[in-house]
Amino acid sequence: MSIVPVHLCRSNNQAISAPRAHLNFATCLLAFSIAAANPSFADQQIVIATTGGTWERQMREHFFDPFTKETGIKVVTVSGTGTENVARVKAMVATGKIEWDLYQAGEIQAASDLHRTLNEDMTAFCADYLADKDLLPDACNRSGVLSGYGTTLMVYNTESFPKGGPSNWRDFFDVERYPGPRALPNFNDPWRVMAAALLADGVEPKVLFPLDVDRALKKLNDLRPHVGLWWKTGDQSTQGFRTGEYVIGQIWQTRAAALKQEGQPLAWRQDQAFLVGDRWALIKNAPNRDNAIRFLRYFLDHPDAQAKVCEALVCTPARNSAAMAMGEAARAMVPTSPEVFDRLIKPDAEWINANTQLLIERWNEWNQQ
Amino acid sequence: MTTPMRIGKFAGRAAASMTSSPSWRQYPLGVSVFLIAPLCLLLGFGFVYPVGRLLGQSFFAPEFGLDNYRRLLETPLYLRVLARTVFVALAVMSASLVLGYPVALAMARLRRGLSNLVMACVLLPLWTSALVRSYAWIVILQRRGLVNDVLLASGVISQPIKLIYTEGAVILAMTHVLVPFMILPVFGAIRAIQPELVQAARNLGAGKTTVFAKVLLPLSLPGIFAGCLMTFILALGFYVTPALVGGPSSLLMATLIGQQTTETLDWGFAGALSTVLLCVTLLIVLLFRKALSYNRGISNVA
């Protein structure tokens, strides 16, 4: 489908003088680079922004490659961190040069007004799945299609607490009964840390939101000298556990599972763990919109592949049948049963979105004290 | 009619400002423009335009006015972080100078082979990513890290002391990353000093310290200035190292700007923060130059 006639690219034409040949060569190079950079010259494809790493490998194996095999649509991936991807989507929409089709947004981000201005309203798409009782509630809504749920939970070192470790956030903040350094995430979305402090201070989960920031920070004041690790990346949280930087921590379930698999003396509590999902979002005016829609259908219609991915990444898939298809061991690690699921803390996305600036500013201030 | 005069003036200025041949005059204007055009275009599209847009947004997003700047000035947090950023950058610069100058001096004095070896040792860390070096510092400074282990084993301390997630750790790790940027220009400046000057000073009875204070140091000032400028400006924009080694309490301006660009997506405010950082940087650099220009050595720096 190249715009440059192919005969120009044959350089073995004796009649062409040397400079002309060079010129032709340059034209061909240019044509190839345009073809490579501009998706519209290529055959059928979709461009998906990923967060790279294991996630992308698993998705490629269980979704991208099988999808290409079935439909002939090539899946091109671009990787960056989650927040970087959102920032780039914002820039693309602002300049009107949309290069991607799909990306994943965090559940909280996906509920924001900004998300709605950047991405297509999926209500019409979801209409086909309204009657589908196998899907988790709200798995398909106007903001996008649920990819899976993960949790941030409390872990502890069983060797440090042979008589039984901490069982909830109250114990996490109780340094007398459960001595030892703690680990907390050091992100730019501090609601999980504040929420844990409030739960420890006796706030009922039902009335947790809107967060009482003052009370949370006051509670955190007492814990601050005992925090041995403020982790910024998932690797820091795993490495910190191995080297004893902390004995009780708030870390991602994915990382906790990885530590357990390598034989670390680690146990976790799913009670009052924080539940956060990721959603597929379809960018407005995406260049390969129809293919992207096909991919989303493919994603929702393949519970077996969802099960495989979540088995590897330790997540809760969007379909109940997928959760059932997961191996026994993997299923035990993630909150799939309704009882456990109900005890999880679900963030109030609307409140968090409305107060992002306030949360960051208060968090920064508290850290500077 | 004015042409010969103008050339004469140019030649005079060129001869005054540099000793090498003014090669730029050997090419016609068209060729010169053609040669520098790629770099100018690259800088224009890749740097000036996007940075200008970001800075411009600080006045226009969400609406026209100075609201972003008002917020910045009214919240004590931002000014405090700005002051801390400048302080950390100055500390890193001073530490780099103190650690880097002797290395540069030694390199300039060593035999060629040895000097190349030291040069390789200085440059090698530049090829490793800042991320890897930050993690290395974590391994050394953490609770059960190398330093604490040694101190515990030797009985100096009974409890692991807090080394990581402190401002000291940030300054240390940043200095480690930036010290080559100090060594290289200082080395260049010392190399350029004619050995005869030192010999002459010695002949006239100056001791080693006097030679250093009156000959080497003043003549290497342009290198010191260049090195200080580079390390200072680079330190102002550091992002990865403070985030990993410093923990949440060591907020620097780059982290704040990152929060606003990717987390809250408030690019107007991010632009305001960047503008203020840029202005403060320029101001400090100007003051720096003013202060040093009293010394003659500095007139060699463009």
PDB file of all heavy atoms in Angstrom, chain A residues 83 87 90 114 188 228-230 233 245 357 360-361 364 367-368, chain B residues 71 78 84 135 142-143 165 248-249 256 259-260 263 265-267:
ATOM      1  N   THR A  83       0.547   6.590  34.207  1.00  0.00           N
ATOM      2  CA  THR A  83       0.212   8.013  34.220  1.00  0.00           C
ATOM      3  C   THR A  83       0.809   8.721  33.001  1.00  0.00           C
ATOM      4  O   THR A  83       0.205   9.641  32.462  1.00  0.00           O
ATOM      5  CB  THR A  83       0.730   8.696  35.491  1.00  0.00           C
ATOM      6  OG1 THR A  83       2.081   8.337  35.687  1.00  0.00           O
ATOM      7  CG2 THR A  83      -0.078   8.263  36.699  1.00  0.00           C
ATOM      8  N   ALA A  87      -1.137  11.090  30.207  1.00  0.00           N
ATOM      9  CA  ALA A  87      -0.660  12.422  29.829  1.00  0.00           C
ATOM     10  C   ALA A  87      -0.472  12.508  28.317  1.00  0.00           C
ATOM     11  O   ALA A  87      -0.784  13.529  27.695  1.00  0.00           O
ATOM     12  CB  ALA A  87       0.637  12.750  30.559  1.00  0.00           C
ATOM     13  N   LYS A  90      -3.771  12.810  26.591  1.00  0.00           N
ATOM     14  CA  LYS A  90      -4.274  14.174  26.715  1.00  0.00           C
ATOM     15  C   LYS A  90      -3.621  15.075  25.665  1.00  0.00           C
ATOM     16  O   LYS A  90      -4.292  15.872  25.021  1.00  0.00           O
ATOM     17  CB  LYS A  90      -3.991  14.712  28.129  1.00  0.00           C
ATOM     18  CG  LYS A  90      -4.645  16.053  28.382  1.00  0.00           C
ATOM     19  CD  LYS A  90      -4.303  16.659  29.734  1.00  0.00           C
ATOM     20  CE  LYS A  90      -4.782  18.104  29.764  1.00  0.00           C
ATOM     21  NZ  LYS A  90      -4.278  18.835  30.917  1.00  0.00           N
ATOM     22  N   LEU A 114     -12.281  14.326  32.859  1.00  0.00           N
ATOM     23  CA  LEU A 114     -11.232  14.397  31.842  1.00  0.00           C
ATOM     24  C   LEU A 114     -11.233  13.124  31.002  1.00  0.00           C
ATOM     25  O   LEU A 114     -11.149  13.166  29.776  1.00  0.00           O
ATOM     26  CB  LEU A 114      -9.866  14.591  32.504  1.00  0.00           C
ATOM     27  CG  LEU A 114      -8.706  14.605  31.514  1.00  0.00           C
ATOM     28  CD1 LEU A 114      -8.718  15.888  30.694  1.00  0.00           C
ATOM     29  CD2 LEU A 114      -7.373  14.455  32.220  1.00  0.00           C
ATOM     30  N   ASN A 188       1.956   9.500  44.100  1.00  0.00           N
ATOM     31  CA  ASN A 188       1.305  10.791  44.010  1.00  0.00           C
ATOM     32  C   ASN A 188      -0.201  10.664  44.198  1.00  0.00           C
ATOM     33  O   ASN A 188      -0.911  11.631  44.050  1.00  0.00           O
ATOM     34  CB  ASN A 188       1.659  11.434  42.683  1.00  0.00           C
ATOM     35  CG  ASN A 188       3.155  11.672  42.598  1.00  0.00           C
ATOM     36  OD1 ASN A 188       3.777  12.031  43.588  1.00  0.00           O
ATOM     37  ND2 ASN A 188       3.739  11.449  41.441  1.00  0.00           N
ATOM     38  N   GLY A 228      10.032   2.264  57.548  1.00  0.00           N
ATOM     39  CA  GLY A 228      11.400   1.992  57.101  1.00  0.00           C
ATOM     40  C   GLY A 228      11.546   2.118  55.598  1.00  0.00           C
ATOM     41  O   GLY A 228      12.646   2.278  55.082  1.00  0.00           O
ATOM     42  N   LEU A 229      10.438   2.009  54.901  1.00  0.00           N
ATOM     43  CA  LEU A 229      10.513   2.053  53.443  1.00  0.00           C
ATOM     44  C   LEU A 229       9.308   2.795  52.875  1.00  0.00           C
ATOM     45  O   LEU A 229       8.157   2.424  53.118  1.00  0.00           O
ATOM     46  CB  LEU A 229      10.549   0.626  52.871  1.00  0.00           C
ATOM     47  CG  LEU A 229      10.476   0.518  51.347  1.00  0.00           C
ATOM     48  CD1 LEU A 229      11.749   1.013  50.709  1.00  0.00           C
ATOM     49  CD2 LEU A 229      10.208  -0.907  50.896  1.00  0.00           C
ATOM     50  N   TRP A 230       9.593   3.850  52.150  1.00  0.00           N
ATOM     51  CA  TRP A 230       8.564   4.502  51.344  1.00  0.00           C
ATOM     52  C   TRP A 230       8.826   4.057  49.924  1.00  0.00           C
ATOM     53  O   TRP A 230       9.745   4.551  49.297  1.00  0.00           O
ATOM     54  CB  TRP A 230       8.680   6.018  51.448  1.00  0.00           C
ATOM     55  CG  TRP A 230       8.295   6.597  52.773  1.00  0.00           C
ATOM     56  CD1 TRP A 230       9.139   6.999  53.758  1.00  0.00           C
ATOM     57  CD2 TRP A 230       6.975   6.855  53.250  1.00  0.00           C
ATOM     58  NE1 TRP A 230       8.418   7.481  54.816  1.00  0.00           N
ATOM     59  CE2 TRP A 230       7.084   7.416  54.541  1.00  0.00           C
ATOM     60  CE3 TRP A 230       5.696   6.661  52.715  1.00  0.00           C
ATOM     61  CZ2 TRP A 230       5.980   7.789  55.299  1.00  0.00           C
ATOM     62  CZ3 TRP A 230       4.608   7.046  53.474  1.00  0.00           C
ATOM     63  CH2 TRP A 230       4.751   7.598  54.757  1.00  0.00           C
ATOM     64  N   THR A 233       8.501   2.235  43.534  1.00  0.00           N
ATOM     65  CA  THR A 233       8.275   1.255  42.469  1.00  0.00           C
ATOM     66  C   THR A 233       8.003  -0.110  43.107  1.00  0.00           C
ATOM     67  O   THR A 233       8.421  -0.365  44.243  1.00  0.00           O
ATOM     68  CB  THR A 233       9.501   1.117  41.565  1.00  0.00           C
ATOM     69  OG1 THR A 233      10.577   0.544  42.331  1.00  0.00           O
ATOM     70  CG2 THR A 233       9.966   2.447  41.026  1.00  0.00           C
ATOM     71  N   GLU A 245      13.925  -4.580  55.131  1.00  0.00           N
ATOM     72  CA  GLU A 245      13.695  -3.151  55.329  1.00  0.00           C
ATOM     73  C   GLU A 245      12.396  -2.922  56.077  1.00  0.00           C
ATOM     74  O   GLU A 245      12.196  -1.893  56.692  1.00  0.00           O
ATOM     75  CB  GLU A 245      13.621  -2.438  53.983  1.00  0.00           C
ATOM     76  CG  GLU A 245      14.924  -2.336  53.246  1.00  0.00           C
ATOM     77  CD  GLU A 245      15.880  -1.403  53.946  1.00  0.00           C
ATOM     78  OE1 GLU A 245      15.612  -0.199  53.970  1.00  0.00           O
ATOM     79  OE2 GLU A 245      16.883  -1.885  54.480  1.00  0.00           O
ATOM     80  N   GLN A 357      -6.055  17.486  43.596  1.00  0.00           N
ATOM     81  CA  GLN A 357      -5.119  18.562  43.938  1.00  0.00           C
ATOM     82  C   GLN A 357      -4.968  18.705  45.441  1.00  0.00           C
ATOM     83  O   GLN A 357      -3.860  18.816  45.957  1.00  0.00           O
ATOM     84  CB  GLN A 357      -5.595  19.891  43.353  1.00  0.00           C
ATOM     85  CG  GLN A 357      -5.290  20.084  41.885  1.00  0.00           C
ATOM     86  CD  GLN A 357      -3.813  20.315  41.624  1.00  0.00           C
ATOM     87  OE1 GLN A 357      -2.968  20.258  42.510  1.00  0.00           O
ATOM     88  NE2 GLN A 357      -3.468  20.558  40.373  1.00  0.00           N
ATOM     89  N   ILE A 360      -2.920  15.785  46.968  1.00  0.00           N
ATOM     90  CA  ILE A 360      -1.479  15.914  46.694  1.00  0.00           C
ATOM     91  C   ILE A 360      -0.865  17.040  47.520  1.00  0.00           C
ATOM     92  O   ILE A 360       0.209  16.885  48.102  1.00  0.00           O
ATOM     93  CB  ILE A 360      -1.234  16.156  45.189  1.00  0.00           C
ATOM     94  CG1 ILE A 360      -1.429  14.856  44.438  1.00  0.00           C
ATOM     95  CG2 ILE A 360       0.143  16.727  44.943  1.00  0.00           C
ATOM     96  CD1 ILE A 360      -0.608  14.711  43.220  1.00  0.00           C
ATOM     97  N   GLU A 361      -1.582  18.166  47.577  1.00  0.00           N
ATOM     98  CA  GLU A 361      -1.009  19.303  48.282  1.00  0.00           C
ATOM     99  C   GLU A 361      -0.861  19.002  49.782  1.00  0.00           C
ATOM    100  O   GLU A 361       0.178  19.280  50.377  1.00  0.00           O
ATOM    101  CB  GLU A 361      -1.885  20.545  48.061  1.00  0.00           C
ATOM    102  CG  GLU A 361      -1.078  21.805  47.933  1.00  0.00           C
ATOM    103  CD  GLU A 361      -1.863  22.897  47.232  1.00  0.00           C
ATOM    104  OE1 GLU A 361      -2.599  23.635  47.907  1.00  0.00           O
ATOM    105  OE2 GLU A 361      -1.749  23.006  46.002  1.00  0.00           O
ATOM    106  N   ASN A 364       1.981  16.441  50.247  1.00  0.00           N
ATOM    107  CA  ASN A 364       3.288  17.080  50.123  1.00  0.00           C
ATOM    108  C   ASN A 364       3.626  17.875  51.372  1.00  0.00           C
ATOM    109  O   ASN A 364       4.751  17.811  51.882  1.00  0.00           O
ATOM    110  CB  ASN A 364       3.311  18.027  48.922  1.00  0.00           C
ATOM    111  CG  ASN A 364       3.375  17.270  47.611  1.00  0.00           C
ATOM    112  OD1 ASN A 364       3.730  16.093  47.591  1.00  0.00           O
ATOM    113  ND2 ASN A 364       3.036  17.914  46.529  1.00  0.00           N
ATOM    114  N   ASN A 367       4.515  15.736  54.271  1.00  0.00           N
ATOM    115  CA  ASN A 367       5.848  15.147  54.111  1.00  0.00           C
ATOM    116  C   ASN A 367       6.965  16.131  54.411  1.00  0.00           C
ATOM    117  O   ASN A 367       8.074  15.732  54.752  1.00  0.00           O
ATOM    118  CB  ASN A 367       6.003  14.624  52.687  1.00  0.00           C
ATOM    119  CG  ASN A 367       5.448  13.233  52.560  1.00  0.00           C
ATOM    120  OD1 ASN A 367       5.733  12.386  53.397  1.00  0.00           O
ATOM    121  ND2 ASN A 367       4.630  12.997  51.559  1.00  0.00           N
ATOM    122  N   GLN A 368       6.662  17.404  54.242  1.00  0.00           N
ATOM    123  CA  GLN A 368       7.701  18.407  54.479  1.00  0.00           C
ATOM    124  C   GLN A 368       7.868  18.761  55.946  1.00  0.00           C
ATOM    125  O   GLN A 368       8.803  19.453  56.302  1.00  0.00           O
ATOM    126  CB  GLN A 368       7.364  19.690  53.707  1.00  0.00           C
ATOM    127  CG  GLN A 368       7.344  19.507  52.212  1.00  0.00           C
ATOM    128  CD  GLN A 368       8.626  18.916  51.722  1.00  0.00           C
ATOM    129  OE1 GLN A 368       9.682  19.506  51.830  1.00  0.00           O
ATOM    130  NE2 GLN A 368       8.571  17.703  51.212  1.00  0.00           N
TER     131      GLN A 368
ATOM    132  N   ARG B  71      -1.425  31.069  43.121  1.00  0.00           N
ATOM    133  CA  ARG B  71      -1.506  29.847  43.942  1.00  0.00           C
ATOM    134  C   ARG B  71      -0.103  29.435  44.392  1.00  0.00           C
ATOM    135  O   ARG B  71       0.116  29.062  45.541  1.00  0.00           O
ATOM    136  CB  ARG B  71      -2.142  28.736  43.099  1.00  0.00           C
ATOM    137  CG  ARG B  71      -2.334  27.475  43.887  1.00  0.00           C
ATOM    138  CD  ARG B  71      -3.091  26.468  43.051  1.00  0.00           C
ATOM    139  NE  ARG B  71      -2.630  25.141  43.376  1.00  0.00           N
ATOM    140  CZ  ARG B  71      -2.608  24.140  42.529  1.00  0.00           C
ATOM    141  NH1 ARG B  71      -3.032  24.305  41.299  1.00  0.00           N
ATOM    142  NH2 ARG B  71      -2.178  22.967  42.901  1.00  0.00           N
ATOM    143  N   TYR B  78       5.214  25.428  48.086  1.00  0.00           N
ATOM    144  CA  TYR B  78       5.943  25.515  46.833  1.00  0.00           C
ATOM    145  C   TYR B  78       7.224  26.329  46.964  1.00  0.00           C
ATOM    146  O   TYR B  78       8.259  25.971  46.402  1.00  0.00           O
ATOM    147  CB  TYR B  78       5.024  26.068  45.741  1.00  0.00           C
ATOM    148  CG  TYR B  78       3.862  25.143  45.505  1.00  0.00           C
ATOM    149  CD1 TYR B  78       2.570  25.503  45.835  1.00  0.00           C
ATOM    150  CD2 TYR B  78       4.075  23.850  45.006  1.00  0.00           C
ATOM    151  CE1 TYR B  78       1.515  24.629  45.662  1.00  0.00           C
ATOM    152  CE2 TYR B  78       3.035  22.972  44.833  1.00  0.00           C
ATOM    153  CZ  TYR B  78       1.751  23.358  45.172  1.00  0.00           C
ATOM    154  OH  TYR B  78       0.728  22.478  45.009  1.00  0.00           O
ATOM    155  N   ARG B  84      14.472  24.549  48.930  1.00  0.00           N
ATOM    156  CA  ARG B  84      15.188  23.312  49.191  1.00  0.00           C
ATOM    157  C   ARG B  84      15.905  22.823  47.938  1.00  0.00           C
ATOM    158  O   ARG B  84      17.042  22.363  47.985  1.00  0.00           O
ATOM    159  CB  ARG B  84      14.186  22.274  49.699  1.00  0.00           C
ATOM    160  CG  ARG B  84      14.416  20.866  49.243  1.00  0.00           C
ATOM    161  CD  ARG B  84      14.979  19.965  50.317  1.00  0.00           C
ATOM    162  NE  ARG B  84      14.237  20.017  51.554  1.00  0.00           N
ATOM    163  CZ  ARG B  84      13.005  19.518  51.706  1.00  0.00           C
ATOM    164  NH1 ARG B  84      12.402  18.972  50.691  1.00  0.00           N
ATOM    165  NH2 ARG B  84      12.411  19.570  52.850  1.00  0.00           N
ATOM    166  N   TYR B 135      19.736   2.708  42.766  1.00  0.00           N
ATOM    167  CA  TYR B 135      19.504   1.450  43.459  1.00  0.00           C
ATOM    168  C   TYR B 135      20.763   0.985  44.191  1.00  0.00           C
ATOM    169  O   TYR B 135      20.684   0.424  45.279  1.00  0.00           O
ATOM    170  CB  TYR B 135      19.017   0.375  42.480  1.00  0.00           C
ATOM    171  CG  TYR B 135      17.528   0.424  42.252  1.00  0.00           C
ATOM    172  CD1 TYR B 135      16.994   0.823  41.041  1.00  0.00           C
ATOM    173  CD2 TYR B 135      16.646   0.088  43.276  1.00  0.00           C
ATOM    174  CE1 TYR B 135      15.629   0.893  40.839  1.00  0.00           C
ATOM    175  CE2 TYR B 135      15.283   0.151  43.085  1.00  0.00           C
ATOM    176  CZ  TYR B 135      14.777   0.553  41.863  1.00  0.00           C
ATOM    177  OH  TYR B 135      13.432   0.625  41.684  1.00  0.00           O
ATOM    178  N   GLN B 142      20.808   1.196  52.951  1.00  0.00           N
ATOM    179  CA  GLN B 142      19.561   0.778  53.598  1.00  0.00           C
ATOM    180  C   GLN B 142      19.800   0.234  55.016  1.00  0.00           C
ATOM    181  O   GLN B 142      20.926   0.093  55.471  1.00  0.00           O
ATOM    182  CB  GLN B 142      18.836  -0.261  52.749  1.00  0.00           C
ATOM    183  CG  GLN B 142      19.592  -1.564  52.597  1.00  0.00           C
ATOM    184  CD  GLN B 142      19.015  -2.414  51.486  1.00  0.00           C
ATOM    185  OE1 GLN B 142      18.105  -2.014  50.806  1.00  0.00           O
ATOM    186  NE2 GLN B 142      19.565  -3.592  51.303  1.00  0.00           N
ATOM    187  N   ARG B 143      18.677  -0.061  55.690  1.00  0.00           N
ATOM    188  CA  ARG B 143      18.705  -0.472  57.096  1.00  0.00           C
ATOM    189  C   ARG B 143      19.656  -1.625  57.342  1.00  0.00           C
ATOM    190  O   ARG B 143      20.406  -1.633  58.299  1.00  0.00           O
ATOM    191  CB  ARG B 143      17.304  -0.891  57.490  1.00  0.00           C
ATOM    192  CG  ARG B 143      16.817  -0.342  58.773  1.00  0.00           C
ATOM    193  CD  ARG B 143      15.382  -0.768  58.977  1.00  0.00           C
ATOM    194  NE  ARG B 143      15.291  -1.917  59.861  1.00  0.00           N
ATOM    195  CZ  ARG B 143      15.314  -1.828  61.190  1.00  0.00           C
ATOM    196  NH1 ARG B 143      15.402  -0.658  61.751  1.00  0.00           N
ATOM    197  NH2 ARG B 143      15.241  -2.899  61.943  1.00  0.00           N
ATOM    198  N   TYR B 165      16.710   7.658  52.673  1.00  0.00           N
ATOM    199  CA  TYR B 165      15.555   8.557  52.813  1.00  0.00           C
ATOM    200  C   TYR B 165      15.887   9.768  53.665  1.00  0.00           C
ATOM    201  O   TYR B 165      15.110  10.174  54.515  1.00  0.00           O
ATOM    202  CB  TYR B 165      14.330   7.823  53.375  1.00  0.00           C
ATOM    203  CG  TYR B 165      14.039   6.555  52.628  1.00  0.00           C
ATOM    204  CD1 TYR B 165      13.922   5.344  53.269  1.00  0.00           C
ATOM    205  CD2 TYR B 165      13.920   6.584  51.242  1.00  0.00           C
ATOM    206  CE1 TYR B 165      13.698   4.184  52.563  1.00  0.00           C
ATOM    207  CE2 TYR B 165      13.702   5.436  50.524  1.00  0.00           C
ATOM    208  CZ  TYR B 165      13.590   4.243  51.193  1.00  0.00           C
ATOM    209  OH  TYR B 165      13.389   3.091  50.482  1.00  0.00           O
ATOM    210  N   PRO B 248       9.642  10.276  50.546  1.00  0.00           N
ATOM    211  CA  PRO B 248       8.655  11.332  50.299  1.00  0.00           C
ATOM    212  C   PRO B 248       9.045  12.686  50.881  1.00  0.00           C
ATOM    213  O   PRO B 248       8.572  13.709  50.410  1.00  0.00           O
ATOM    214  CB  PRO B 248       7.386  10.800  50.964  1.00  0.00           C
ATOM    215  CG  PRO B 248       7.844   9.778  51.927  1.00  0.00           C
ATOM    216  CD  PRO B 248       9.125   9.229  51.416  1.00  0.00           C
ATOM    217  N   SER B 249       9.915  12.707  51.893  1.00  0.00           N
ATOM    218  CA  SER B 249      10.166  13.992  52.540  1.00  0.00           C
ATOM    219  C   SER B 249      11.127  14.863  51.745  1.00  0.00           C
ATOM    220  O   SER B 249      11.229  16.053  51.991  1.00  0.00           O
ATOM    221  CB  SER B 249      10.707  13.766  53.941  1.00  0.00           C
ATOM    222  OG  SER B 249      11.903  13.052  53.871  1.00  0.00           O
ATOM    223  N   LEU B 256       7.588  17.861  41.948  1.00  0.00           N
ATOM    224  CA  LEU B 256       6.329  18.612  41.944  1.00  0.00           C
ATOM    225  C   LEU B 256       5.813  18.799  40.519  1.00  0.00           C
ATOM    226  O   LEU B 256       4.627  18.618  40.245  1.00  0.00           O
ATOM    227  CB  LEU B 256       6.534  19.996  42.579  1.00  0.00           C
ATOM    228  CG  LEU B 256       6.652  20.084  44.095  1.00  0.00           C
ATOM    229  CD1 LEU B 256       6.725  21.543  44.510  1.00  0.00           C
ATOM    230  CD2 LEU B 256       5.460  19.426  44.766  1.00  0.00           C
ATOM    231  N   GLN B 259       4.380  15.586  39.275  1.00  0.00           N
ATOM    232  CA  GLN B 259       3.046  15.343  39.836  1.00  0.00           C
ATOM    233  C   GLN B 259       1.994  16.086  39.035  1.00  0.00           C
ATOM    234  O   GLN B 259       0.931  15.546  38.722  1.00  0.00           O
ATOM    235  CB  GLN B 259       2.990  15.856  41.284  1.00  0.00           C
ATOM    236  CG  GLN B 259       3.626  14.950  42.301  1.00  0.00           C
ATOM    237  CD  GLN B 259       3.580  15.573  43.699  1.00  0.00           C
ATOM    238  OE1 GLN B 259       3.246  16.744  43.860  1.00  0.00           O
ATOM    239  NE2 GLN B 259       3.909  14.782  44.693  1.00  0.00           N
ATOM    240  N   GLN B 260       2.278  17.352  38.728  1.00  0.00           N
ATOM    241  CA  GLN B 260       1.274  18.164  38.058  1.00  0.00           C
ATOM    242  C   GLN B 260       1.096  17.774  36.596  1.00  0.00           C
ATOM    243  O   GLN B 260       0.016  17.925  36.059  1.00  0.00           O
ATOM    244  CB  GLN B 260       1.631  19.657  38.162  1.00  0.00           C
ATOM    245  CG  GLN B 260       1.629  20.188  39.582  1.00  0.00           C
ATOM    246  CD  GLN B 260       0.262  20.143  40.252  1.00  0.00           C
ATOM    247  OE1 GLN B 260      -0.772  20.198  39.595  1.00  0.00           O
ATOM    248  NE2 GLN B 260       0.228  20.008  41.563  1.00  0.00           N
ATOM    249  N   GLU B 263       0.040  13.402  37.086  1.00  0.00           N
ATOM    250  CA  GLU B 263      -0.903  12.893  38.081  1.00  0.00           C
ATOM    251  C   GLU B 263      -2.188  13.722  38.099  1.00  0.00           C
ATOM    252  O   GLU B 263      -3.268  13.195  37.903  1.00  0.00           O
ATOM    253  CB  GLU B 263      -0.226  12.907  39.455  1.00  0.00           C
ATOM    254  CG  GLU B 263      -0.668  11.806  40.364  1.00  0.00           C
ATOM    255  CD  GLU B 263      -0.335  10.436  39.813  1.00  0.00           C
ATOM    256  OE1 GLU B 263       0.804  10.192  39.342  1.00  0.00           O
ATOM    257  OE2 GLU B 263      -1.242   9.599  39.842  1.00  0.00           O
ATOM    258  N   LEU B 265      -2.671  16.235  36.023  1.00  0.00           N
ATOM    259  CA  LEU B 265      -2.848  16.704  34.641  1.00  0.00           C
ATOM    260  C   LEU B 265      -3.207  18.196  34.584  1.00  0.00           C
ATOM    261  O   LEU B 265      -3.925  18.631  33.710  1.00  0.00           O
ATOM    262  CB  LEU B 265      -3.904  15.860  33.923  1.00  0.00           C
ATOM    263  CG  LEU B 265      -3.510  14.403  33.723  1.00  0.00           C
ATOM    264  CD1 LEU B 265      -4.716  13.575  33.326  1.00  0.00           C
ATOM    265  CD2 LEU B 265      -2.430  14.266  32.662  1.00  0.00           C
ATOM    266  N   ASP B 266      -2.700  18.947  35.557  1.00  0.00           N
ATOM    267  CA  ASP B 266      -2.925  20.385  35.577  1.00  0.00           C
ATOM    268  C   ASP B 266      -1.720  21.048  34.926  1.00  0.00           C
ATOM    269  O   ASP B 266      -0.787  21.470  35.591  1.00  0.00           O
ATOM    270  CB  ASP B 266      -3.101  20.850  37.031  1.00  0.00           C
ATOM    271  CG  ASP B 266      -3.456  22.324  37.131  1.00  0.00           C
ATOM    272  OD1 ASP B 266      -3.323  23.019  36.110  1.00  0.00           O
ATOM    273  OD2 ASP B 266      -3.854  22.759  38.218  1.00  0.00           O
ATOM    274  N   TRP B 267      -1.733  21.139  33.606  1.00  0.00           N
ATOM    275  CA  TRP B 267      -0.527  21.589  32.896  1.00  0.00           C
ATOM    276  C   TRP B 267      -0.303  23.085  33.049  1.00  0.00           C
ATOM    277  O   TRP B 267       0.812  23.567  32.862  1.00  0.00           O
ATOM    278  CB  TRP B 267      -0.588  21.154  31.428  1.00  0.00           C
ATOM    279  CG  TRP B 267      -0.486  19.665  31.305  1.00  0.00           C
ATOM    280  CD1 TRP B 267      -0.256  18.792  32.342  1.00  0.00           C
ATOM    281  CD2 TRP B 267      -0.618  18.872  30.142  1.00  0.00           C
ATOM    282  NE1 TRP B 267      -0.243  17.511  31.878  1.00  0.00           N
ATOM    283  CE2 TRP B 267      -0.459  17.517  30.529  1.00  0.00           C
ATOM    284  CE3 TRP B 267      -0.853  19.151  28.799  1.00  0.00           C
ATOM    285  CZ2 TRP B 267      -0.537  16.460  29.628  1.00  0.00           C
ATOM    286  CZ3 TRP B 267      -0.928  18.099  27.902  1.00  0.00           C
ATOM    287  CH2 TRP B 267      -0.768  16.769  28.307  1.00  0.00           C
TER     288      TRP B 267
END
